[in-house]
Amino acid sequence: MPGVFISFEGPEGAGKSTQTKRLKTALEQAGYAVLLTREPGGTPLGDAVRSALLNPELHMTALAEFLLFSASRAQLCKDIVVPSLAANYVVICDRFFDSSLAYQGYGRGLNLEFLREVTWEATGGMRPDVTVLLDLEPKLGLERAAQVGAPDRLEQADLSFHQKVRAGFLELAKAEPERFLVVDATQEAQAIHEQILAAVTGSLSVMG
Ligand code: TYD
């Protein structure tokens, strides 16, 4: 694939949407064609699945939850990510499969190998070139998220769930240090942006 694929990950309230938008703007100013998308969502099917996944009134098993995220992911990869990479875009995705490993694997306790197998099918084996992990203490993140609006179905899960998710992300990052950039999300937004831009620019020049 000629393009470059960058995913953003992290617990609730880490500031991913601010940082993805800033990175997109900065890369466009540097002359790259950039596509910004998100999970769950990014396609009409993904958006429909997203509203079910976030709806606090819907009860779902951990397996049903994971399969719905995977359905959104399969559609997004086929319709958006693969064609955009083929057209030489830098694709930035607000969450990707590491969220399933962290939330449904480490958080809900589903088997990681099973999650990886289904994910392989959903993505066609595609992996991000760079994954930015915006790390912060879940209690702080949930407080930040609460200022933005009413908690969605996942934000309503208890603190111990969110702590397992954060620990999961950090473990995933430790296992693949060449793919992950871990950033302290308690810093000022501008400082975070500068760190991300420097790392991504470095990766883009290496990847040509
Ligand atoms: P969103 O509003 O995008 O949350 P945030 O702004 O924090 O990214 O909602 C997505 C929610 O879905 C979020 O709580 C993380 C969760 N999620 C999973 O549990 N598994 C997944 O595979 C993905 C992509 C997201």
Side-chain angles (χ1 to χ4, degrees):
M1 284 284 172
V4 175
F5 186 21
I6 303 168
S7 62
F8 274 67
E9 299 285 3
E12 311 299 322
K16 287 181 289 77
S17 52
T18 304
Q19 293 299 334
T20 50
K21 283 184 208 135
R22 285 200 184 196
L23 181 63
K24 177 177 193 277
T25 304
L27 293 178
E28 281 173 343
Q29 280 165 0
Y32 292 96
V34 183
L35 181 113
L36 173 58
T37 188
R38 69 170 175 179
E39 278 202 346
T43 64
L45 175 70
D47 287 335
V49 168
R50 178 185 177 87
S51 62
L53 277 162
L54 299 185
N55 183 349
E57 285 168 19
L58 286 183
H59 166 74
M60 59 183 80
T61 67
L63 179 59
E65 183 179 88
F66 168 66
L67 293 172
L68 287 173
F69 281 116
S70 297
S72 171
R73 181 164 304 135
Q75 201 68 39
L76 182 73
C77 285
K78 176 128 197 322
D79 290 355
I80 306 290
V81 179
V82 169
S84 301
L85 291 174
N88 208 19
Y89 273 73
V90 176
V91 176
I92 302 173
C93 198
D94 188 339
R95 298 196 183 278
F96 198 55
F97 65 63
D98 295 298
S99 277
S100 285
L101 300 175
Y103 280 79
Q104 282 68 52
Y106 289 91
R108 302 273 195 232
L110 292 182
N111 180 283
L112 286 172
E113 277 321 301
F114 167 71
L115 301 189
R116 287 195 166 102
E117 275 173 35
V118 175
T119 298
W120 180 272
E121 296 295 332
T123 59
M126 192 173 44
R127 303 176 69 75
D129 298 296
V130 178
T131 297
V132 178
L133 173 57
L134 293 175
D135 176 56
L136 95 167
E137 167 58 44
K139 192 164 180 297
L140 182 60
L142 288 168
E143 280 165 14
R144 281 189 188 177
Q147 287 167 6
V148 181
D152 62 40
R153 198 179 57 79
L154 283 129
E155 285 165 353
Q156 285 183 2
D158 59 27
L159 186 58
S160 70
F161 168 77
H162 290 284
Q163 279 162 343
K164 285 188 242 168
V165 170
R166 182 207 192 183
F169 275 128
L170 290 172
E171 208 166 309
L172 293 167
K174 209 165 135 197
E176 279 185 84
E178 63 297 334
R179 174 162 69 92
F180 276 87
L181 169 72
V182 183
V183 181
D184 172 2
T186 62
Q187 302 172 88
E188 288 294 323
Q190 181 60 21
I192 295 173
H193 170 66
E194 282 164 17
Q195 279 170 46
I196 295 170
L197 185 60
V200 166
T201 306
S203 300
L204 287 171
S205 62
V206 171
M207 290 176 224

